PDB file of all heavy atoms in Angstrom:
ATOM      1  N   ALA A  13       1.674 -22.978 -12.007  1.00 98.00           N
ATOM      2  CA  ALA A  13       0.992 -22.128 -11.043  1.00 98.00           C
ATOM      3  C   ALA A  13       1.784 -20.852 -10.836  1.00 98.00           C
ATOM      4  O   ALA A  13       2.995 -20.815 -11.057  1.00 98.00           O
ATOM      5  CB  ALA A  13       0.810 -22.858  -9.709  1.00 98.00           C
ATOM      6  N   ALA A  14       1.099 -19.810 -10.410  1.00 98.00           N
ATOM      7  CA  ALA A  14       1.750 -18.542 -10.128  1.00 98.00           C
ATOM      8  C   ALA A  14       1.109 -17.900  -8.916  1.00 98.00           C
ATOM      9  O   ALA A  14      -0.047 -18.172  -8.585  1.00 98.00           O
ATOM     10  CB  ALA A  14       1.660 -17.607 -11.337  1.00 98.00           C
ATOM     11  N   ILE A  15       1.867 -17.030  -8.281  1.00 98.00           N
ATOM     12  CA  ILE A  15       1.392 -16.354  -7.085  1.00 98.00           C
ATOM     13  C   ILE A  15       1.964 -14.949  -7.039  1.00 98.00           C
ATOM     14  O   ILE A  15       3.115 -14.715  -7.413  1.00 98.00           O
ATOM     15  CB  ILE A  15       1.772 -17.165  -5.820  1.00 98.00           C
ATOM     16  CG1 ILE A  15       1.139 -16.573  -4.567  1.00 98.00           C
ATOM     17  CG2 ILE A  15       3.295 -17.257  -5.680  1.00 98.00           C
ATOM     18  CD1 ILE A  15       1.265 -17.487  -3.351  1.00 98.00           C
ATOM     19  N   THR A  16       1.150 -14.007  -6.597  1.00 96.00           N
ATOM     20  CA  THR A  16       1.620 -12.639  -6.451  1.00 96.00           C
ATOM     21  C   THR A  16       2.540 -12.529  -5.254  1.00 96.00           C
ATOM     22  O   THR A  16       2.636 -13.434  -4.425  1.00 96.00           O
ATOM     23  CB  THR A  16       0.441 -11.673  -6.271  1.00 96.00           C
ATOM     24  OG1 THR A  16      -0.331 -12.060  -5.125  1.00 96.00           O
ATOM     25  CG2 THR A  16      -0.460 -11.675  -7.500  1.00 96.00           C
ATOM     26  N   TRP A  17       3.228 -11.401  -5.151  1.00 94.00           N
ATOM     27  CA  TRP A  17       4.165 -11.209  -4.060  1.00 94.00           C
ATOM     28  C   TRP A  17       3.473 -11.325  -2.705  1.00 94.00           C
ATOM     29  O   TRP A  17       4.014 -11.938  -1.777  1.00 94.00           O
ATOM     30  CB  TRP A  17       4.845  -9.845  -4.181  1.00 94.00           C
ATOM     31  CG  TRP A  17       5.820  -9.582  -3.071  1.00 94.00           C
ATOM     32  CD1 TRP A  17       7.100 -10.011  -2.992  1.00 94.00           C
ATOM     33  CD2 TRP A  17       5.573  -8.833  -1.876  1.00 94.00           C
ATOM     34  NE1 TRP A  17       7.684  -9.579  -1.819  1.00 94.00           N
ATOM     35  CE2 TRP A  17       6.769  -8.852  -1.116  1.00 94.00           C
ATOM     36  CE3 TRP A  17       4.474  -8.147  -1.380  1.00 94.00           C
ATOM     37  CZ2 TRP A  17       6.871  -8.213   0.121  1.00 94.00           C
ATOM     38  CZ3 TRP A  17       4.587  -7.508  -0.146  1.00 94.00           C
ATOM     39  CH2 TRP A  17       5.775  -7.547   0.581  1.00 94.00           C
ATOM     40  N   SER A  18       2.311 -10.728  -2.589  1.00 94.00           N
ATOM     41  CA  SER A  18       1.590 -10.763  -1.323  1.00 94.00           C
ATOM     42  C   SER A  18       0.962 -12.123  -1.052  1.00 94.00           C
ATOM     43  O   SER A  18       0.585 -12.410   0.083  1.00 94.00           O
ATOM     44  CB  SER A  18       0.513  -9.690  -1.295  1.00 94.00           C
ATOM     45  OG  SER A  18      -0.480  -9.941  -2.270  1.00 94.00           O
ATOM     46  N   GLY A  19       0.840 -12.922  -2.080  1.00 94.00           N
ATOM     47  CA  GLY A  19       0.237 -14.227  -1.930  1.00 94.00           C
ATOM     48  C   GLY A  19      -1.273 -14.229  -1.947  1.00 94.00           C
ATOM     49  O   GLY A  19      -1.891 -15.275  -1.713  1.00 94.00           O
ATOM     50  N   ASP A  20      -1.870 -13.091  -2.231  1.00 95.00           N
ATOM     51  CA  ASP A  20      -3.319 -12.998  -2.182  1.00 95.00           C
ATOM     52  C   ASP A  20      -4.004 -13.418  -3.477  1.00 95.00           C
ATOM     53  O   ASP A  20      -5.233 -13.543  -3.495  1.00 95.00           O
ATOM     54  CB  ASP A  20      -3.762 -11.582  -1.794  1.00 95.00           C
ATOM     55  CG  ASP A  20      -3.286 -10.521  -2.778  1.00 95.00           C
ATOM     56  OD1 ASP A  20      -2.493 -10.841  -3.684  1.00 95.00           O
ATOM     57  OD2 ASP A  20      -3.703  -9.359  -2.620  1.00 95.00           O
ATOM     58  N   THR A  21      -3.235 -13.621  -4.524  1.00 97.00           N
ATOM     59  CA  THR A  21      -3.799 -14.037  -5.798  1.00 97.00           C
ATOM     60  C   THR A  21      -2.966 -15.159  -6.380  1.00 97.00           C
ATOM     61  O   THR A  21      -1.732 -15.071  -6.411  1.00 97.00           O
ATOM     62  CB  THR A  21      -3.860 -12.873  -6.793  1.00 97.00           C
ATOM     63  OG1 THR A  21      -4.594 -11.786  -6.225  1.00 97.00           O
ATOM     64  CG2 THR A  21      -4.543 -13.304  -8.085  1.00 97.00           C
ATOM     65  N   THR A  22      -3.627 -16.191  -6.831  1.00 98.00           N
ATOM     66  CA  THR A  22      -2.946 -17.322  -7.439  1.00 98.00           C
ATOM     67  C   THR A  22      -3.611 -17.690  -8.748  1.00 98.00           C
ATOM     68  O   THR A  22      -4.759 -17.334  -9.010  1.00 98.00           O
ATOM     69  CB  THR A  22      -2.948 -18.545  -6.514  1.00 98.00           C
ATOM     70  OG1 THR A  22      -4.303 -18.902  -6.196  1.00 98.00           O
ATOM     71  CG2 THR A  22      -2.200 -18.249  -5.222  1.00 98.00           C
ATOM     72  N   ARG A  23      -2.878 -18.427  -9.557  1.00 98.00           N
ATOM     73  CA  ARG A  23      -3.388 -18.902 -10.836  1.00 98.00           C
ATOM     74  C   ARG A  23      -2.825 -20.288 -11.088  1.00 98.00           C
ATOM     75  O   ARG A  23      -1.666 -20.567 -10.773  1.00 98.00           O
ATOM     76  CB  ARG A  23      -3.001 -17.938 -11.958  1.00 98.00           C
ATOM     77  CG  ARG A  23      -3.521 -18.326 -13.338  1.00 98.00           C
ATOM     78  CD  ARG A  23      -3.123 -17.277 -14.362  1.00 98.00           C
ATOM     79  NE  ARG A  23      -3.722 -15.985 -14.061  1.00 98.00           N
ATOM     80  CZ  ARG A  23      -3.372 -14.850 -14.643  1.00 98.00           C
ATOM     81  NH1 ARG A  23      -2.415 -14.849 -15.569  1.00 98.00           N
ATOM     82  NH2 ARG A  23      -3.976 -13.721 -14.307  1.00 98.00           N
ATOM     83  N   TYR A  24      -3.642 -21.145 -11.661  1.00 98.00           N
ATOM     84  CA  TYR A  24      -3.228 -22.512 -11.901  1.00 98.00           C
ATOM     85  C   TYR A  24      -3.547 -22.944 -13.322  1.00 98.00           C
ATOM     86  O   TYR A  24      -4.539 -22.511 -13.912  1.00 98.00           O
ATOM     87  CB  TYR A  24      -3.938 -23.475 -10.953  1.00 98.00           C
ATOM     88  CG  TYR A  24      -3.636 -23.245  -9.498  1.00 98.00           C
ATOM     89  CD1 TYR A  24      -4.433 -22.409  -8.722  1.00 98.00           C
ATOM     90  CD2 TYR A  24      -2.547 -23.870  -8.897  1.00 98.00           C
ATOM     91  CE1 TYR A  24      -4.151 -22.194  -7.393  1.00 98.00           C
ATOM     92  CE2 TYR A  24      -2.262 -23.658  -7.563  1.00 98.00           C
ATOM     93  CZ  TYR A  24      -3.061 -22.822  -6.813  1.00 98.00           C
ATOM     94  OH  TYR A  24      -2.777 -22.610  -5.485  1.00 98.00           O
ATOM     95  N   ALA A  25      -2.709 -23.799 -13.846  1.00 98.00           N
ATOM     96  CA  ALA A  25      -3.030 -24.450 -15.101  1.00 98.00           C
ATOM     97  C   ALA A  25      -4.223 -25.361 -14.883  1.00 98.00           C
ATOM     98  O   ALA A  25      -4.398 -25.931 -13.806  1.00 98.00           O
ATOM     99  CB  ALA A  25      -1.836 -25.247 -15.610  1.00 98.00           C
ATOM    100  N   ASP A  26      -5.044 -25.500 -15.910  1.00 98.00           N
ATOM    101  CA  ASP A  26      -6.222 -26.352 -15.785  1.00 98.00           C
ATOM    102  C   ASP A  26      -5.860 -27.784 -15.407  1.00 98.00           C
ATOM    103  O   ASP A  26      -6.613 -28.455 -14.700  1.00 98.00           O
ATOM    104  CB  ASP A  26      -7.012 -26.354 -17.094  1.00 98.00           C
ATOM    105  CG  ASP A  26      -7.712 -25.038 -17.359  1.00 98.00           C
ATOM    106  OD1 ASP A  26      -7.893 -24.248 -16.411  1.00 98.00           O
ATOM    107  OD2 ASP A  26      -8.088 -24.795 -18.520  1.00 98.00           O
ATOM    108  N   SER A  27      -4.709 -28.236 -15.848  1.00 98.00           N
ATOM    109  CA  SER A  27      -4.304 -29.605 -15.606  1.00 98.00           C
ATOM    110  C   SER A  27      -4.001 -29.904 -14.141  1.00 98.00           C
ATOM    111  O   SER A  27      -4.012 -31.070 -13.737  1.00 98.00           O
ATOM    112  CB  SER A  27      -3.081 -29.955 -16.461  1.00 98.00           C
ATOM    113  OG  SER A  27      -1.991 -29.098 -16.165  1.00 98.00           O
ATOM    114  N   VAL A  28      -3.737 -28.872 -13.359  1.00 98.00           N
ATOM    115  CA  VAL A  28      -3.391 -29.084 -11.954  1.00 98.00           C
ATOM    116  C   VAL A  28      -4.384 -28.441 -11.000  1.00 98.00           C
ATOM    117  O   VAL A  28      -4.278 -28.647  -9.780  1.00 98.00           O
ATOM    118  CB  VAL A  28      -1.975 -28.572 -11.636  1.00 98.00           C
ATOM    119  CG1 VAL A  28      -0.959 -29.177 -12.595  1.00 98.00           C
ATOM    120  CG2 VAL A  28      -1.918 -27.042 -11.694  1.00 98.00           C
ATOM    121  N   LYS A  29      -5.313 -27.698 -11.527  1.00 98.00           N
ATOM    122  CA  LYS A  29      -6.278 -26.995 -10.696  1.00 98.00           C
ATOM    123  C   LYS A  29      -7.041 -27.975  -9.812  1.00 98.00           C
ATOM    124  O   LYS A  29      -7.545 -28.990 -10.278  1.00 98.00           O
ATOM    125  CB  LYS A  29      -7.237 -26.201 -11.576  1.00 98.00           C
ATOM    126  CG  LYS A  29      -8.068 -25.169 -10.844  1.00 98.00           C
ATOM    127  CD  LYS A  29      -8.881 -24.324 -11.833  1.00 98.00           C
ATOM    128  CE  LYS A  29      -7.977 -23.581 -12.802  1.00 98.00           C
ATOM    129  NZ  LYS A  29      -8.754 -22.734 -13.754  1.00 98.00           N
ATOM    130  N   GLY A  30      -7.103 -27.650  -8.542  1.00 98.00           N
ATOM    131  CA  GLY A  30      -7.777 -28.512  -7.591  1.00 98.00           C
ATOM    132  C   GLY A  30      -6.886 -29.553  -6.964  1.00 98.00           C
ATOM    133  O   GLY A  30      -7.270 -30.183  -5.969  1.00 98.00           O
ATOM    134  N   ARG A  31      -5.703 -29.751  -7.536  1.00 98.00           N
ATOM    135  CA  ARG A  31      -4.769 -30.742  -7.012  1.00 98.00           C
ATOM    136  C   ARG A  31      -3.514 -30.109  -6.431  1.00 98.00           C
ATOM    137  O   ARG A  31      -2.928 -30.643  -5.491  1.00 98.00           O
ATOM    138  CB  ARG A  31      -4.374 -31.734  -8.104  1.00 98.00           C
ATOM    139  CG  ARG A  31      -5.543 -32.515  -8.680  1.00 98.00           C
ATOM    140  CD  ARG A  31      -5.059 -33.622  -9.616  1.00 98.00           C
ATOM    141  NE  ARG A  31      -4.342 -33.091 -10.771  1.00 98.00           N
ATOM    142  CZ  ARG A  31      -3.059 -33.340 -11.046  1.00 98.00           C
ATOM    143  NH1 ARG A  31      -2.348 -34.123 -10.244  1.00 98.00           N
ATOM    144  NH2 ARG A  31      -2.486 -32.813 -12.125  1.00 98.00           N
ATOM    145  N   PHE A  32      -3.085 -29.007  -7.012  1.00 98.00           N
ATOM    146  CA  PHE A  32      -1.870 -28.333  -6.577  1.00 98.00           C
ATOM    147  C   PHE A  32      -2.223 -27.033  -5.866  1.00 98.00           C
ATOM    148  O   PHE A  32      -3.200 -26.363  -6.209  1.00 98.00           O
ATOM    149  CB  PHE A  32      -0.963 -27.998  -7.766  1.00 98.00           C
ATOM    150  CG  PHE A  32      -0.317 -29.179  -8.434  1.00 98.00           C
ATOM    151  CD1 PHE A  32      -0.697 -30.481  -8.146  1.00 98.00           C
ATOM    152  CD2 PHE A  32       0.694 -28.969  -9.363  1.00 98.00           C
ATOM    153  CE1 PHE A  32      -0.095 -31.563  -8.771  1.00 98.00           C
ATOM    154  CE2 PHE A  32       1.306 -30.036  -9.996  1.00 98.00           C
ATOM    155  CZ  PHE A  32       0.909 -31.338  -9.701  1.00 98.00           C
ATOM    156  N   THR A  33      -1.404 -26.663  -4.910  1.00 98.00           N
ATOM    157  CA  THR A  33      -1.572 -25.407  -4.204  1.00 98.00           C
ATOM    158  C   THR A  33      -0.238 -24.685  -4.129  1.00 98.00           C
ATOM    159  O   THR A  33       0.742 -25.239  -3.632  1.00 98.00           O
ATOM    160  CB  THR A  33      -2.122 -25.619  -2.784  1.00 98.00           C
ATOM    161  OG1 THR A  33      -3.381 -26.288  -2.846  1.00 98.00           O
ATOM    162  CG2 THR A  33      -2.311 -24.270  -2.089  1.00 98.00           C
ATOM    163  N   ILE A  34      -0.216 -23.460  -4.621  1.00 98.00           N
ATOM    164  CA  ILE A  34       0.987 -22.656  -4.553  1.00 98.00           C
ATOM    165  C   ILE A  34       0.878 -21.700  -3.368  1.00 98.00           C
ATOM    166  O   ILE A  34      -0.199 -21.182  -3.074  1.00 98.00           O
ATOM    167  CB  ILE A  34       1.215 -21.881  -5.867  1.00 98.00           C
ATOM    168  CG1 ILE A  34       2.582 -21.191  -5.869  1.00 98.00           C
ATOM    169  CG2 ILE A  34       0.097 -20.881  -6.124  1.00 98.00           C
ATOM    170  CD1 ILE A  34       2.947 -20.578  -7.219  1.00 98.00           C
ATOM    171  N   SER A  35       1.976 -21.488  -2.697  1.00 98.00           N
ATOM    172  CA  SER A  35       2.004 -20.566  -1.576  1.00 98.00           C
ATOM    173  C   SER A  35       3.408 -20.005  -1.432  1.00 98.00           C
ATOM    174  O   SER A  35       4.349 -20.488  -2.062  1.00 98.00           O
ATOM    175  CB  SER A  35       1.563 -21.261  -0.279  1.00 98.00           C
ATOM    176  OG  SER A  35       2.452 -22.312   0.058  1.00 98.00           O
ATOM    177  N   ARG A  36       3.532 -18.989  -0.622  1.00 95.00           N
ATOM    178  CA  ARG A  36       4.854 -18.434  -0.372  1.00 95.00           C
ATOM    179  C   ARG A  36       4.918 -17.864   1.030  1.00 95.00           C
ATOM    180  O   ARG A  36       3.921 -17.413   1.590  1.00 95.00           O
ATOM    181  CB  ARG A  36       5.212 -17.369  -1.417  1.00 95.00           C
ATOM    182  CG  ARG A  36       4.349 -16.118  -1.382  1.00 95.00           C
ATOM    183  CD  ARG A  36       4.565 -15.245  -2.621  1.00 95.00           C
ATOM    184  NE  ARG A  36       5.926 -14.736  -2.710  1.00 95.00           N
ATOM    185  CZ  ARG A  36       6.411 -14.075  -3.758  1.00 95.00           C
ATOM    186  NH1 ARG A  36       5.637 -13.862  -4.826  1.00 95.00           N
ATOM    187  NH2 ARG A  36       7.659 -13.646  -3.752  1.00 95.00           N
ATOM    188  N   ASP A  37       6.106 -17.888   1.570  1.00 94.00           N
ATOM    189  CA  ASP A  37       6.375 -17.331   2.882  1.00 94.00           C
ATOM    190  C   ASP A  37       7.523 -16.358   2.686  1.00 94.00           C
ATOM    191  O   ASP A  37       8.689 -16.754   2.655  1.00 94.00           O
ATOM    192  CB  ASP A  37       6.731 -18.427   3.878  1.00 94.00           C
ATOM    193  CG  ASP A  37       6.886 -17.907   5.293  1.00 94.00           C
ATOM    194  OD1 ASP A  37       7.083 -16.693   5.480  1.00 94.00           O
ATOM    195  OD2 ASP A  37       6.806 -18.727   6.232  1.00 94.00           O
ATOM    196  N   ASN A  38       7.180 -15.097   2.528  1.00 91.00           N
ATOM    197  CA  ASN A  38       8.203 -14.104   2.238  1.00 91.00           C
ATOM    198  C   ASN A  38       9.184 -13.911   3.390  1.00 91.00           C
ATOM    199  O   ASN A  38      10.333 -13.536   3.167  1.00 91.00           O
ATOM    200  CB  ASN A  38       7.547 -12.769   1.871  1.00 91.00           C
ATOM    201  CG  ASN A  38       6.842 -12.822   0.538  1.00 91.00           C
ATOM    202  OD1 ASN A  38       7.126 -13.681  -0.300  1.00 91.00           O
ATOM    203  ND2 ASN A  38       5.909 -11.907   0.318  1.00 91.00           N
ATOM    204  N   ALA A  39       8.731 -14.157   4.608  1.00 91.00           N
ATOM    205  CA  ALA A  39       9.630 -14.057   5.749  1.00 91.00           C
ATOM    206  C   ALA A  39      10.737 -15.093   5.667  1.00 91.00           C
ATOM    207  O   ALA A  39      11.838 -14.877   6.172  1.00 91.00           O
ATOM    208  CB  ALA A  39       8.856 -14.212   7.052  1.00 91.00           C
ATOM    209  N   LYS A  40      10.439 -16.218   5.032  1.00 93.00           N
ATOM    210  CA  LYS A  40      11.424 -17.275   4.848  1.00 93.00           C
ATOM    211  C   LYS A  40      12.024 -17.275   3.453  1.00 93.00           C
ATOM    212  O   LYS A  40      12.845 -18.140   3.136  1.00 93.00           O
ATOM    213  CB  LYS A  40      10.791 -18.637   5.128  1.00 93.00           C
ATOM    214  CG  LYS A  40      10.326 -18.822   6.559  1.00 93.00           C
ATOM    215  CD  LYS A  40       9.750 -20.215   6.765  1.00 93.00           C
ATOM    216  CE  LYS A  40       9.331 -20.420   8.201  1.00 93.00           C
ATOM    217  NZ  LYS A  40       8.756 -21.779   8.418  1.00 93.00           N
ATOM    218  N   ASN A  41      11.593 -16.332   2.630  1.00 92.00           N
ATOM    219  CA  ASN A  41      12.076 -16.246   1.252  1.00 92.00           C
ATOM    220  C   ASN A  41      11.900 -17.569   0.516  1.00 92.00           C
ATOM    221  O   ASN A  41      12.787 -18.017  -0.213  1.00 92.00           O
ATOM    222  CB  ASN A  41      13.546 -15.815   1.222  1.00 92.00           C
ATOM    223  CG  ASN A  41      13.769 -14.444   1.810  1.00 92.00           C
ATOM    224  OD1 ASN A  41      13.048 -13.496   1.484  1.00 92.00           O
ATOM    225  ND2 ASN A  41      14.762 -14.316   2.663  1.00 92.00           N
ATOM    226  N   THR A  42      10.750 -18.156   0.708  1.00 95.00           N
ATOM    227  CA  THR A  42      10.499 -19.478   0.160  1.00 95.00           C
ATOM    228  C   THR A  42       9.111 -19.557  -0.460  1.00 95.00           C
ATOM    229  O   THR A  42       8.141 -19.029   0.083  1.00 95.00           O
ATOM    230  CB  THR A  42      10.638 -20.556   1.245  1.00 95.00           C
ATOM    231  OG1 THR A  42      11.944 -20.474   1.834  1.00 95.00           O
ATOM    232  CG2 THR A  42      10.465 -21.948   0.649  1.00 95.00           C
ATOM    233  N   MET A  43       9.037 -20.221  -1.589  1.00 96.00           N
ATOM    234  CA  MET A  43       7.779 -20.510  -2.249  1.00 96.00           C
ATOM    235  C   MET A  43       7.575 -22.015  -2.247  1.00 96.00           C
ATOM    236  O   MET A  43       8.535 -22.783  -2.301  1.00 96.00           O
ATOM    237  CB  MET A  43       7.795 -19.981  -3.687  1.00 96.00           C
ATOM    238  CG  MET A  43       6.541 -20.302  -4.478  1.00 96.00           C
ATOM    239  SD  MET A  43       6.588 -19.681  -6.187  1.00 96.00           S
ATOM    240  CE  MET A  43       7.932 -20.647  -6.877  1.00 96.00           C
TER     241      MET A  43
END
């Protein structure tokens, strides 16, 4: 999975799509 800096766009491998969710909290410097 991948996520843009702003977190407004994500991409997932077909094998995990619908099961995994990527997110990030830039204030916490954590993905």
Side-chain angles (χ1 to χ4, degrees):
I15 187 169
T16 58
W17 180 82
S18 65
D20 60 352
T21 304
T22 58
R23 182 178 297 168
Y24 298 92
D26 289 341
S27 59
V28 307
K29 194 174 300 181
R31 299 188 298 117
F32 290 11
T33 301
I34 188 172
S35 62
R36 66 192 297 173
D37 186 341
N38 291 339
K40 296 182 178 180
N41 298 313
T42 303
M43 177 181 65

